[in-house]
C-alpha cells in the first residue's frame, strides 16, 4: 500500500520542472566562466564529506558476473580436491541430503599480525606527492605510490595510547594526506541483502526464562542488552510512541494497568532503548537541543546545538514513583550498550567536521573542542585515546563504563579513532570491527578491548581478510580464541572462509574456499561447531568443527533452496533458521521461510521441516535480533512479518502481522497471526509473555492474549 | 549523437572536447552497473564502458567543467527534486542545489570514482538542506522541525508536497532519500545513523501520515 504512495511522490516529483539555472548546460557554462572563483570560495565548505567516509557498495567485477554456474565451480573444485585426496567422510554420508561440495581445504599459514596496513609507510610518499588536491597528476601519483607502499606498511596500532592531543592531531593529518585520495580506505560495507546489520546479533539463552517470562534476545549468553519493550514477570515496560517516555504497566493475565511513566528532559532528542536490572532502570537516550544565540549583527543568529547521548538511571523500587538517580552525559551519538556483572559499557560515536576543517596547525583549544569527545563535560585525556598512525577519518568511538550502583558517573572511558562499523561483546571483551583497505581489497581490522568491572583496556589487534556479515560472524570461544566467518572478495571472486585467532589476535588456523562465489548470509557458533549459511541460488548450511583452533574441519554441508538469515539453537539438537525461500534455479526470493535443522550429528545435518511463508517480503527482526522472540524452553517463536495481498487486480495491500509459532512433533504450528493494524501497533511490535499470557507491545499499546485459549484476546491498554 | 546535454550519448559529450583518447568507443562493452547506491535512472540503462567512466572521473577531478557537468547530468533532476520536497520552496531548492554544485565542484579533487559521485553529492545536498531547515526558526528560538507555510507554491497537484511539509524533518528526509536519492533503508540508516529497521518503521509511519493528510 505504501509502495503506491512512494510511486505517487516519485511521479509528482518528475512533473516538477528543473529551473533553467540548474540544467547541466547552465552549470557547465557557469563553471567555465567562474570555475576558479568558485573553487576559491567553496574550498572549505564544511558540508562536503571526505570521500573515504562515504560507505561504498562493493564493486562487482566483470569476472564475478560470469560466475553463474555454481555447480560447475563445485565440480571443478571437487576435481581439484580429489586430486589432492581431501575428501572428507562427511561428504559420503546421508543419502540424498548431503552434498559434497568439493571444498578446497587447506591449512591457513600461521600469519602474524603483520598484515599490510595503509599506515605509516604511506605517509611520507603521500605527503611528498600530495600537496594540493586540485593539481592534475598529483592524485594519480599518490594513488600509485600508496598502492605500491601498502604491502610494506606497518601494522595498525590501537594498543598504545596517544602521548598527547597533538599526537592525535598528527594522526588525523597524516590520515588525511594518506587517505584523501587512495581508494576505498573506509569502504567495505558489504551489501549482501541490500541491508546491513548495524546492530549486533546475539547468542541465545537456552534455558527457559527464569520465572516463566520472556527475556531480551541477546547475542551472547550472559551479556545483557537494552531493548524497547521488556518484562520482569509482573510489569511490562515499553517505549512510548514518540520515544520521549517509558511507560510502566502492571500485567496480571489480561489485566493491564498503567502504573507510571518516566519522561526525562531530552531537549528534542529521544529515548533509544532501556535496560532493567532488578529495581534499576537505565535509559539510553539522545539529547538534542538547538538554540539561537544573538550575534553582533542584528537579525543574524548563530545556531548552537548540543548533541549528546545521555545514560539516565532510575530507581524504580516503587514502581509508581520512579526516581532519577543520575545522568551520565556522553558526546556523540548512541551506538549500543552491553551490560555485564553490574556494569554498563556504552558505545557512542562522534561525527566531527570533515577534513576540510582540520586546521593546518595544531592549536590545543580548538582541536580539543572539535575532536576530543567529552564524558560528563570533560574531554577524555590523551592517555585514553587510541589511534593508528594514520587515521582515515574523523570519526571516533568512545567506550564508557558505568557502575550500575554509581549512576551518572563513568568508571572508565576509552576512545578509538576511526570508523567502527560493528561490534561483538563476549563476557570479557568487546571486539571492534573497523573496515579497512589493505593490499587492494577490503579487510576488517579487529580491536580487542578487554573489559572488567568497569575498566576498559585494548588488548589486541588483528585483521580478517574480508568482511564480516554481522556481529554473529565473530565469536569468542571459552578459551579465548576468536573465530570469524568471513566473506572475502578478491579478483578471483567471492568466497567464504573461517579464520581463528588466539587471545592476542594472531591467526592460528583457517578454512577457506568454502562455497566459492557465495557470500555468508548468516552464522552461528555453538561451542566448537560453526554453522554457516552462504547463498547463491541455494543455501548450503555448512557445519565446521573448530575444536582444534589450528585445524578447522568442514564437517558437512546441507544444500537446500533459499537461505537462513538468522540461526538460533533450539534445544540441544536442533537449529532454527528464519530466512528466505528462493527458487532453486535462479535464486529469486519467493518469501519468508522457517526451517528446523537436526544438528544432533554435526557430520550429518539434515532438515527436519520447513515452512514457507509465501509473499512475505519483510521481517525486520532479521536486521535487529532483539525484535525476535525465540524461546525453545517455552516453545515459542514470535516475529513481525509483512506481506503483500492482492485485493483487486493491480492493487496491492500491505499487511503487517505478528506471527507466533511453536514447534511440535517435527512441525511448525502456527499459534497466532495478529494483524498489526487492527492491534493498533503499526510498527515496532514486540512479543512478550508472562506465564500463559502473551503480550503484544508497541508504544502505548499492549494487548494480552491467553495462550491456553488459542490466543483469545483478554485485555488491552492504550 | 547530439553531443549536447540533453542529448543521448555520453560518448558524444566526451568527444566534444576534442579529446583524442576517446575518438572511437572501444569495441568491448560491458553493461555498466551504477554502483553508487540505488535504483535505475534513465542514463544508467545505457551501455557504457568502464574506460569512459574512469576517464570522466579523471577529467572531473582535474577541474574540467564539462566532465563535471557530465557527472552532474546523471543526478541533477534527483538532486533538485530532493531539495524541493525537503524544503517545500522552489527558490530555496534552487539555491541549495546551486550551493551544492559549487561546493562539489570546489572539492571535486577528492572524487574517488565516477560511481561514487552520486552518493557524495547527495550527502552534500542533504547537509545543506539540513542547514536550510535549521534556519527556519520560530519565535522561541528553538528549532522547529516543521517548515513554514509554503505559501503560493502549491497547486492541487502538489498536495503531496504540502503534506510533506507537515512531516517532521527526519520523516521527510527518509522519504526523500528513498524516493529521490534512491537509497535503501540500510544506506539511509548509515546516513542518518539509525538502524535499517528504525528507518523502515519511521518511513512507514511517515507514509501513513501522508496518506491521511492527502486522504488517498
Amino acid at each position: 500500500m505504501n509502495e503506491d504512495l512512494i510511486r505517487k511522490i516519485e511521479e509528482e516529483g518528475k512533473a516538477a520542472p528543473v529551473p533553467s539555472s540548474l540544467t547541466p548546460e547552465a552549470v557547465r557554462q557557469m563553471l567555465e566562466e567562474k570555475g576558479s572563483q568558485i573553487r576559491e570560495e567553496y574550498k572549505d565548505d564544511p558540508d562536503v564529506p571526505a570521500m573515504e567516509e562515504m560507505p561504498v557498495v562493493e564493486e562487482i567485477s566483470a569476472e564475478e558476473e560470469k560466475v553463474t554456474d555454481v555447480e560447475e565451480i563445485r565440480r571443478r573444485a571437487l576435481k581439484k580436491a580429489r586430486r589432492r585426496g581431501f575428501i572428507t567422510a562427511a561428504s559420503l554420508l546421508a543419502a540424498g541430503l548431503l552434498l559434497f561440495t568439493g571444498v578446497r581445504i587447506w591449512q591457513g599459514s600461521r600469519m602474524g599480525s603483520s598484515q599490510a596496513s595503509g599506515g605509516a609507510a604511506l605517509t611520507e610518499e603521500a605527503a611528498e606527492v600530495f600537496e594540493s588536491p586540485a593539481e592534475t597528476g598529483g592524485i594519480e601519483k599518490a594513488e600509485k605510490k600508496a598502492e605500491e607502499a601498502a604491502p610494506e606498511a606497518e601494522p595498525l596500532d590501537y594498543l598504545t595510547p596517544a602521548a598527547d592531543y597533538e599526537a592525535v592531531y598528527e594522526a588525523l593529518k597524516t590520515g588525511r594526506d594518506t587517505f584523501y585520495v587512495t581508494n576505498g580506505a573506509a569502504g567495505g560495507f558489504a551489501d549482501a541483502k541490500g541491508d546491513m546489520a548495524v546492530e549486533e546479533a546475539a547468542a541465545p539463552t537456552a534455558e527457559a526464562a527464569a520465572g516463566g517470562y520472556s527475556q531480551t534476545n541477546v547475542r551472547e549468553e550472559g551479556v545483557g542488552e537494552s531493548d524497547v519493550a521488556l518484562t520482569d514477570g509482573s510489569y511490562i515496560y515499553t517505549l512510548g510512541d514518540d520515544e520521549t517516555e517509558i511507560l510502566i504497566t502492571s500485567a496480571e493475565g489480561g489485566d493491564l494497568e498503567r502504573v507510571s511513566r518516566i519522561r526525562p528532559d531530552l531537549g528534542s532528542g529521544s529515548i533509544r532503548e532501556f535496560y532493567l536490572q532488578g529495581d534499576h532502570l537505565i535509559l539510553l537516550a539522545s539529547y538534542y537541543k538547538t538554540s539561537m544565540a544573538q550575534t553582533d549583527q542584528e537579525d543574524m543568529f548563530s545556531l548552537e546545538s548540543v548533541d549528546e547521548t545521555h545514560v539516565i538511571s532510575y530507581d524504580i523500587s516503587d514502581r509508581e514513583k520512579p526516581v532519577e538517580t543520575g545522568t551520565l552525559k556522553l558526546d556523540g551519538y548512541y551506538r549500543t550498550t552491553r551490560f555485564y556483572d553490574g556494569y554498563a559499557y556504552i558505545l557512542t560515536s562522534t561525527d566531527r567536521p570533515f577534513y576540510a576543517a582540520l586546521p593546518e596547525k595544531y592549536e590545543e583549544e580548538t582541536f580539543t573542542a572539535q575532536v576530543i569527545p567529552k564524558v560528563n563535560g570533560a574531554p577524555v585525556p590523551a592517555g585514553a585515546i587510541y589511534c593508528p598512525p594514520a587515521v582515515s577519518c574523523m570519526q571516533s568511538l568512545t567506550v564508557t563504563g558505568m557502575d550500575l550502583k554509581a549512576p551518572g558517573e563513568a568508571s572508565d572511558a576509552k576512545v578509538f579513532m576511526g570508523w567502527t562499523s560493528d561490534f561483538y561483546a563476549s563476557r570479557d571483551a568487546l571486539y571492534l570491527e573497523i573496515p579497512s583497505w589493505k593490499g587492494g581489497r577490503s579487510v576488517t581490522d579487529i580491536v580487542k578491548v578487554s573489559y572488567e568491572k568497569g575498566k576498559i583496556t585494548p588488548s589486541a589487534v588483528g585483521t580478517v581478510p574480508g568482511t564480516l556479515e554481522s556481529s554473529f560472524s565473530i565469536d569468542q570461544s571459552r578459551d579465548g580464541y576468536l573465530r570469524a566467518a568471513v566473506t572475502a572478495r578478491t579478483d578471483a571472486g567471492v568466497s567464504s572462509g573461517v579464520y581463528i585467532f588466539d587471545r592476542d589476535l594472531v591467526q592460528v588456523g583457517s578454512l577457506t574456499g568454502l562455497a566459492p562465489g557465495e557470500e555468508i548470509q548468516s552464522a552461528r557458533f555453538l561451542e566448537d561447531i560453526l554453522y554457516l549459511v552462504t547463498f547463491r541460488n541455494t543455501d548450503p548450511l555448512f557445519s565446521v568443527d573448530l575444536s582444534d583452533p589450528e585445524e578447522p574441519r568442514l564437517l558437512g554441508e546441507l544444500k537446500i533452496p533459499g537461505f537462513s538469515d538468522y540461526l538460533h539453537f533450539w534445544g540441544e539438537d536442533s537449529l532454527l533458521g528464519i530466512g528466505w525461500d528462493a527458487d532453486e534455479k535462479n535464486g529469486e526470493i519467493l518469501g519468508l521461510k522457517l526451517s528446523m535443522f537436526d544438528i544432533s550429528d554435526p557430520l550429518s545435518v539434515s532438515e527436519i521441516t520447513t515452512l514457507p511463508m509465501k509473499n512475505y517480503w519483510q521481517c525486520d527482526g532479521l536486521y535487529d535480533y532483539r525484535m525476535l522472540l525465540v524461546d525453545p524452553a517455552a516453545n515459542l517463536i514470535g516475529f513481525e512479518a509483512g506481506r503483500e495481498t492482492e485485493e483487486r487486480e493491480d492493487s496491492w495491500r500491505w499487511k503487517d502481522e505478528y506471527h507466533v509459532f511453536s514447534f511440535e512433533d517435527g512441525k511448525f504450528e502456527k499459534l497466532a497471526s495478529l494483524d498489526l493494524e487492527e492491534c493498533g501497533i503499526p510498527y515496532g511490535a514486540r512479543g512478550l509473555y508472562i506465564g500463559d499470557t502473551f503480550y503484544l507491545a508497541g508504544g502505548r499499546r499492549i494487548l494480552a492474549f491467553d495462550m491456553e485459549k488459542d490466543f483469545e484476546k483478554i485485555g488491552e491498554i492504550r | 549523437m547530439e553531443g549536447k546535454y540533453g542529448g543521448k550519448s555520453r560518448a558524444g559529450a566526451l568527444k566534444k572536447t576534442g579529446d583524442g583518447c576517446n575518438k572511437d568507443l572501444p569495441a568491448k562493452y560491458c553493461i555498466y552497473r551504477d554502483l553508487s547506491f540505488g535504483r535505475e535512472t534513465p542514463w544508467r540503462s545505457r551501455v557504457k564502458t568502464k574506460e569512459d567512466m574512469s576517464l570522466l572521473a579523471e577529467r572531473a577531478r582535474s577541474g574540467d567543467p564539462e566532465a563535471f557537468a557530465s557527472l552532474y547530468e546523471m543526478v541533477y533532476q534527483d538532486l533538485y527534486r530532493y531539495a524541493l520536497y525537503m524544503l517545500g520552496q522552489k527558490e530555496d531548492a534552487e539555491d541549495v542545489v546551486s550551493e551544492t554544485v559549487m561546493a562539489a565542484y570546489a572539492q571535486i579533487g577528492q572524487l574517488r570514482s565516477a560511481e561514487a559521485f552520486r552518493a557524495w553529492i547527495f550527502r552534500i545536498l542533504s547537509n545543506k538542506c539540513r542547514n536550510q531547515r535549521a534556519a527556519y526558526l520560530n519565535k522561541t528560538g528553538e528549532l522547529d522541525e516543521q517548515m513554514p507555510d509554503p505559501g503560493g507554491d502549491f497547486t492541487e497537484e502538489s498536495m503531496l508536497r504540502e503534506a510533506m511539509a507537515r512531516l517532521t524533518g527526519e520523516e521527510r528526509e527518509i522519504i526523500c532519500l528513498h524516493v529521490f536519492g534512491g537509497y535503501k533503508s540500510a544506506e539511509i540508516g548509515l546516513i542518518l545513523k539509525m538502524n535499517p529497521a528504525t528507518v523502515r518503521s519511521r518511513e512507514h509511519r511517515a507514509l501513513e501520515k501522508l496518506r491521511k493528510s492527502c486522504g488517498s
Side-chain angles (χ1 to χ4, degrees):
Chain A
M1 196 156 64
N2 283 335
E3 273 309 304
D4 60 60
L5 188 53
I6 297 263
R7 253 179 273 291
K8 261 199 200 157
I9 299 173
E10 212 177 333
E11 288 306 313
E12 202 195 76
K14 288 201 181 125
V18 177
S20 51
S21 71
L22 294 181
T23 58
E25 178 58 31
V27 163
R28 186 192 64 84
Q29 235 172 318
M30 173 190 70
L31 295 178
E32 256 165 32
E33 286 162 24
K34 308 204 200 115
S36 38
Q37 216 177 307
I38 290 171
R39 260 204 294 272
E40 191 49 43
E41 215 178 296
Y42 286 85
K43 69 174 196 268
D44 288 322
D45 190 311
D47 293 319
V48 179
M51 260 299 172
E52 62 278 358
E53 287 187 48
M54 301 297 305
V56 169
V57 174
E58 289 274 281
E59 232 186 76
I60 298 171
S61 70
E63 281 65 44
E64 270 175 37
E65 294 290 13
K66 289 191 200 120
V67 167
T68 48
D69 190 353
V70 175
E71 285 309 316
E72 180 53 41
I73 296 164
R74 291 228 169 95
R75 259 177 260 130
R76 290 188 208 151
L78 171 54
K79 268 198 228 156
K80 277 197 209 154
R82 280 195 178 134
R83 265 185 257 130
R84 293 183 205 155
F86 277 121
I87 299 177
T88 66
S91 67
L92 306 172
L93 287 175
L97 287 175
L98 274 186
L99 241 201
F100 178 64
T101 177
V103 166
R104 280 172 294 137
I105 300 172
W106 48 274
Q107 294 301 318
S109 54
R110 292 202 191 219
M111 288 159 62
S113 53
S114 57
Q115 291 278 359
S117 142
L122 287 170
T123 64
E124 272 143 58
E125 280 91 349
E128 262 174 35
V129 167
F130 176 67
E131 286 307 330
S132 66
E135 266 169 37
T136 320
I139 289 126
E140 283 70 36
K141 268 194 259 164
E143 268 182 321
K144 288 212 182 68
K145 288 219 171 175
E147 275 169 16
E148 282 159 11
E152 281 99 24
E154 281 161 25
L156 266 183
D157 184 358
Y158 273 101
L159 303 178
T160 314
D164 49 34
Y165 288 153
E166 189 159 3
V168 179
Y169 169 82
E170 286 304 320
L172 281 169
K173 186 143 180 253
T174 308
R176 179 194 67 184
D177 296 344
T178 307
F179 294 104
Y180 202 70
V181 286
T182 53
N183 272 334
F189 289 100
D191 190 28
K193 304 170 284 291
D195 266 301
M196 180 181 88
V198 173
E199 303 288 315
E200 291 175 30
T205 37
E207 344 136 357
Y213 58 87
S214 51
Q215 310 208 313
T216 304
N217 190 20
V218 297
R219 164 71 183 89
E220 179 90 359
E221 194 178 326
V223 179
E225 296 184 43
S226 32
D227 201 354
V228 299
L230 304 171
T231 179
D232 56 10
S234 313
Y235 296 88
I236 294 178
Y237 307 79
T238 49
L239 184 60
D241 287 312
D242 54 2
E243 291 161 12
T244 57
E245 58 183 7
I246 306 283
L247 303 164
I248 302 180
T249 310
S250 76
E252 245 174 290
D255 288 322
L256 293 161
E257 213 181 287
R258 198 81 76 202
V259 163
S260 58
R261 59 188 65 194
I262 295 174
R263 210 190 163 90
D265 171 26
L266 300 168
S268 47
S270 58
I271 302 172
R272 300 292 300 273
E273 45 202 41
F274 56 94
Y275 181 75
L276 181 66
Q277 184 167 296
D279 290 329
H280 297 288
L281 190 66
I282 296 114
L283 270 58
L284 291 316
S286 64
Y287 179 92
Y288 184 68
K289 200 175 177 97
T290 303
S291 51
M292 278 199 302
Q294 179 85 53
T295 62
D296 302 326
Q297 297 172 284
E298 206 186 283
D299 291 344
M300 288 285 287
F301 300 91
S302 70
L303 275 177
E304 280 163 12
S305 67
V306 173
D307 192 352
E308 294 176 336
T309 298
H310 284 193
V311 183
I312 313 172
S313 304
Y314 290 85
D315 179 340
I316 56 168
S317 8
D318 181 354
R319 294 291 189 278
E320 290 178 30
K321 296 200 179 64
V323 177
E324 187 193 322
T325 51
T327 300
L328 173 62
K329 299 185 185 181
L330 305 169
D331 243 1
Y333 62 93
Y334 178 70
R335 300 295 294 268
T336 191
T337 313
R338 291 293 181 269
F339 298 84
Y340 188 71
D341 195 25
Y343 287 83
Y345 300 89
I346 305 121
L347 279 69
T348 48
S349 269
T350 54
D351 186 6
R352 294 304 190 206
F354 306 103
Y355 278 125
L358 185 69
E360 278 311 308
K361 267 175 54 176
Y362 172 73
E363 201 282 306
E364 173 142 7
E365 210 177 297
T366 37
F367 182 72
T368 309
Q370 262 189 348
V371 176
I372 308 296
K374 297 190 195 53
V375 173
N376 274 341
V380 175
I385 302 181
Y386 297 83
C387 60
V391 183
S392 67
C393 65
M394 283 240 212
Q395 301 269 333
S396 66
L397 180 82
T398 306
V399 184
T400 309
M402 186 180 89
D403 182 348
L404 297 185
K405 294 195 297 301
E409 287 166 35
S411 57
D412 194 2
K414 297 288 195 294
V415 174
F416 299 91
M417 301 298 298
W419 168 245
T420 300
S421 64
D422 208 348
F423 2 71
Y424 156 69
S426 67
R427 291 186 210 214
D428 56 14
L430 199 55
Y431 292 85
L432 311 181
E433 297 167 26
I434 298 171
S436 186
W437 186 265
K438 287 173 190 166
R441 50 183 236 187
S442 282
V443 298
T444 306
D445 290 323
I446 302 201
V447 180
K448 178 176 179 179
V449 182
S450 301
Y451 67 81
E452 189 181 347
K453 296 235 179 280
K455 206 87 194 73
I456 299 159
T457 323
S459 53
V461 184
T463 302
V464 295
T467 55
L468 299 164
E469 185 262 342
S470 71
S471 85
F472 279 126
S473 297
I474 54 174
D475 184 87
Q476 185 185 295
S477 73
R478 285 186 201 266
D479 6 354
Y481 285 91
L482 185 73
R483 300 86 65 87
V486 178
T487 297
R489 281 189 178 81
T490 63
D491 291 331
V494 179
S495 67
S496 318
V498 186
Y499 296 83
I500 305 172
F501 302 83
D502 67 14
R503 280 201 159 83
D504 300 315
L505 292 188
V506 173
Q507 186 175 320
V508 298
S510 71
L511 179 62
T512 58
L514 292 169
E518 300 182 9
E519 296 173 7
I520 293 179
Q521 300 295 336
S522 58
R524 203 82 198 234
F525 291 82
L526 172 65
E527 298 290 338
D528 287 331
I529 313 257
L530 162 65
Y531 293 91
L532 190 63
V533 173
T534 62
F535 178 70
R536 186 91 187 192
N537 292 342
T538 59
D539 161 14
L541 171 63
F542 293 100
S543 39
V544 179
D545 177 11
L546 304 167
S547 49
D548 181 349
E550 291 170 26
E551 290 196 26
R553 305 183 296 136
L554 179 70
L555 293 174
E557 180 199 356
L558 175 63
K559 193 173 145 194
I560 43 179
F563 61 94
S564 296
D565 242 338
Y566 177 78
L567 296 172
H568 195 118
F569 294 108
W570 190 265
E572 290 199 356
D573 295 330
S574 313
L575 183 67
L576 170 72
I578 304 178
W580 305 98
D581 198 8
D583 184 317
E584 266 182 84
K585 296 185 214 65
N586 56 27
E588 184 193 326
I589 306 290
L590 304 170
L592 275 179
K593 183 176 72 149
L594 290 179
S595 314
M596 192 65 82
F597 302 99
D598 178 352
I599 54 171
S600 50
D601 179 2
L603 282 171
S604 158
V605 173
S606 62
E607 186 180 62
I608 300 171
T609 183
T610 182
L611 182 75
M613 294 172 65
K614 212 159 183 252
N615 286 328
Y616 283 88
W617 302 116
Q618 178 213 337
C619 178
D620 285 346
L622 295 177
Y623 303 105
D624 181 355
Y625 52 88
R626 293 169 301 173
M627 293 180 76
L628 300 172
L629 171 66
V630 184
D631 194 325
N635 198 1
L636 288 173
I637 301 165
F639 56 93
E640 184 194 327
R643 69 180 164 118
E644 286 174 331
T645 73
E646 189 177 331
E647 290 198 335
R648 293 186 297 274
E649 203 188 279
D650 286 343
S651 123
W652 297 82
R653 272 208 79 220
W654 185 260
K655 260 182 172 302
D656 273 313
E657 294 154 353
Y658 192 90
H659 298 268
V660 188
F661 288 89
S662 69
F663 184 68
E664 217 64 73
D665 291 330
K667 282 215 279 286
F668 288 108
E669 297 289 337
K670 179 186 279 204
L671 300 177
S673 197
L674 309 166
D675 185 322
L676 289 173
E677 204 173 354
E678 274 170 30
C679 294
I681 307 178
Y683 53 89
R686 287 284 202 278
L688 311 163
Y689 71 88
I690 300 174
D692 293 323
T693 313
F694 184 87
Y695 299 92
L696 196 62
R700 308 169 56 84
R701 303 215 59 179
I702 304 175
L703 292 95
F705 302 89
D706 190 339
M707 291 198 280
E708 293 286 299
K709 296 213 179 89
D710 205 25
F711 274 74
E712 180 191 314
K713 186 163 107 174
I714 53 175
E716 73 178 280
I717 190 171
R718 297 163 185 265
Chain B
M1 253 173 17
E2 294 155 27
K4 250 159 73 158
Y5 298 103
K8 301 289 176 213
S9 163
R10 194 82 293 121
L14 292 171
K15 274 191 191 181
K16 194 178 167 193
T17 62
D19 189 336
C21 345
N22 208 42
K23 222 176 149 112
D24 299 300
L25 291 169
K28 181 186 170 188
Y29 277 74
C30 59
I31 301 289
Y32 173 69
R33 270 173 57 166
D34 186 273
L35 301 168
S36 64
F37 306 127
R39 47 135 202 213
E40 300 292 303
T41 57
W43 70 266
R44 289 178 209 184
S45 55
R46 284 184 235 133
V47 171
K48 226 167 279 310
T49 62
K50 285 202 160 182
E51 287 87 348
D52 271 353
M53 295 306 291
S54 79
L55 182 66
L56 193 59
E58 200 180 293
R59 289 187 24 232
R61 268 196 294 266
S62 63
D64 178 356
E66 176 144 356
F68 181 92
S70 296
L71 289 173
Y72 173 68
E73 183 184 354
M74 302 172 190
V75 301
Y76 80 103
Q77 286 159 325
D78 287 336
L79 288 176
Y80 175 70
R81 288 163 194 162
Y82 176 94
L84 182 61
Y85 278 74
M86 278 307 293
L87 304 173
Q89 301 257 24
K90 290 194 186 131
E91 291 77 20
D92 286 342
E94 192 174 337
D95 284 341
V96 159
V97 174
S98 183
E99 289 273 314
T100 300
V101 165
M102 293 194 273
Y105 180 71
Q107 305 197 34
I108 194 70
Q110 50 161 323
L111 181 69
R112 177 171 52 210
S113 64
E115 296 82 333
F117 181 77
R118 187 195 166 86
W120 183 67
I121 197 170
F122 252 98
R123 188 72 90 97
I124 302 174
L125 178 63
S126 137
N127 288 338
K128 289 201 179 286
C129 283
R130 273 200 219 127
N131 295 341
Q132 185 73 5
R133 267 167 38 217
Y136 296 141
L137 297 166
N138 68 16
K139 282 178 266 193
T140 65
E142 292 212 326
L143 190 64
D144 185 345
E145 279 293 19
Q146 310 228 303
M147 298 191 305
D149 183 9
D153 252 350
F154 297 102
T155 64
E156 264 174 38
E157 291 96 63
S158 53
M159 250 175 69
L160 266 178
R161 234 193 302 156
E162 188 182 319
M164 289 278 273
R166 291 195 276 275
L167 299 177
T168 67
E170 182 183 81
E171 288 169 340
R172 220 166 31 245
E173 192 157 16
I174 292 177
I175 292 182
C176 286
L177 285 171
H178 179 173
V179 178
F180 302 115
Y183 293 100
K184 298 195 258 262
S185 52
E187 295 146 358
I188 297 176
L190 286 169
I191 296 171
L192 299 179
K193 290 164 208 139
M194 286 175 209
N195 83 46
T198 309
V199 171
R200 275 197 297 278
S201 64
R202 295 220 175 142
E203 187 186 44
H204 185 104
R205 175 174 60 184
L207 289 169
E208 287 303 310
K209 273 195 201 172
L210 271 185
R211 187 186 314 285
K212 286 203 181 76
S213 52
C214 286
S216 57

